[in-house]
Amino acid sequence: GNSVTQMEGPVTLSEEAFLTINCTYTATGYPSLFWYVQYPGEGLQLLLKATKADDKGSNKGFEATYRKETTSFHLEKGSVQVSDSAVYFCALSPTGNQFYFGTGTSLTVIP
Amino acid sequence: DAGITQSPRYKITETGRQVTLMCHQTWSHSYMFWYRQDLGHGLRLIYYSAAADITDKGEVPDGYVVSRSKTENFPLTLESATRSQTSVYFCASQGAGSGANVLTFGAGSRLTVL
């Protein structure tokens, strides 16, 4: 079946620290992979995506590389800011009209 | 305004009452989805729709009813609300063309069932 497992939270970091949020997946075929971000009181919004193996998605200083050999799509950022405090969701889409989400990882960045 | 809007944003109701959550999108996207978000479960798919008059069950459909008479609207109805349906509900639509395979979410509807 299809599923996403992501790092348990919550995660608390100091400003300018390095961020990694782990995400691994199980899927049939060659899914597209996504990171969505949810700011307080808002809906989810797309942060970045990758559609094939070895692709790197990037946006707002965040990066994630599609690793088929390890079935992973870890989210990284070199220097987090207070404004990055949010809940981050890893997701996959095996077919284009089906989406599977992880449970979310809450990030708090303190000044 | 272009986008996807949900209403109401907040709703408190009592057990046994009927509640309808509205979702409207302005892009004429074919696919629309309803998710619920609960702590420890992330997002779970309730129902989705591929087009007007075409709907299908997701992971947790029990207790919910949907309809889609027009492409732009996808209401979710709880026919007899239960406390276990207290949650945050998100509607989403799926882009086409260069935005294909990407979901755009509404701001959510927080429902409390007493």
Side-chain angles (χ1 to χ4, degrees), chain A residues 5-60:
Chain A
T5 301
Q6 66 179 98
M7 177 175 165
E8 292 282 335
V11 174
T12 302
L13 294 174
S14 297
E15 206 166 23
E16 298 183 3
F18 185 87
L19 169 70
T20 300
I21 300 178
N22 291 334
C23 172
T24 57
Y25 67 90
T26 302
T28 53
Y30 302 92
S32 294
L33 301 175
F34 308 83
W35 278 100
Y36 281 83
V37 59
Q38 184 183 28
Y39 298 104
E42 300 182 10
L44 282 71
Q45 55 186 274
L46 180 68
L47 180 59
L48 54 84
K49 69 175 184 178
T51 57
K52 61 182 187 295
D54 300 324
D55 267 3
K56 178 186 285 188
S58 62
N59 186 23
K60 299 181 181 179

Side-chain angles (χ1 to χ4, degrees), chain B:
Chain B
D1 290 339
I4 182 164
T5 56
Q6 293 183 233
S7 62
R9 291 293 313 278
Y10 303 92
K11 176 74 175 179
I12 299 174
T13 191
E14 295 177 338
T15 301
R17 291 196 182 260
Q18 183 180 77
V19 175
T20 296
L21 306 180
M22 305 300 293
C23 179
H24 174 79
Q25 53 110 348
T26 60
W27 298 296
S28 299
H29 288 166
S30 294
Y31 275 84
M32 296 186 73
F33 305 80
W34 273 106
Y35 291 90
R36 61 177 289 174
Q37 183 180 29
D38 303 291
L39 200 62
H41 291 280
L43 289 172
R44 292 182 290 176
L45 181 64
I46 305 170
Y47 269 96
Y48 67 99
S49 169
D53 298 322
I54 301 175
T55 62
D56 210 346
K57 296 178 180 179
E59 181 185 356
V60 289
D62 293 344
Y64 303 95
V65 174
V66 293
S67 62
R68 192 151 177 224
S69 57
K70 294 183 177 181
T71 299
E72 61 266 30
N73 296 324
F74 190 38
L76 175 74
T77 298
L78 291 67
E79 293 192 305
S80 178
T82 66
R83 289 181 181 166
S84 65
Q85 292 177 309
T86 293
S87 186
V88 181
Y89 292 85
F90 287 99
C91 179
S93 69
Q94 182 176 358
S98 61
N101 210 27
V102 172
L103 292 180
T104 301
F105 286 83
S109 294
R110 181 177 293 274
L111 176 67
T112 300
V113 183
L114 302 177

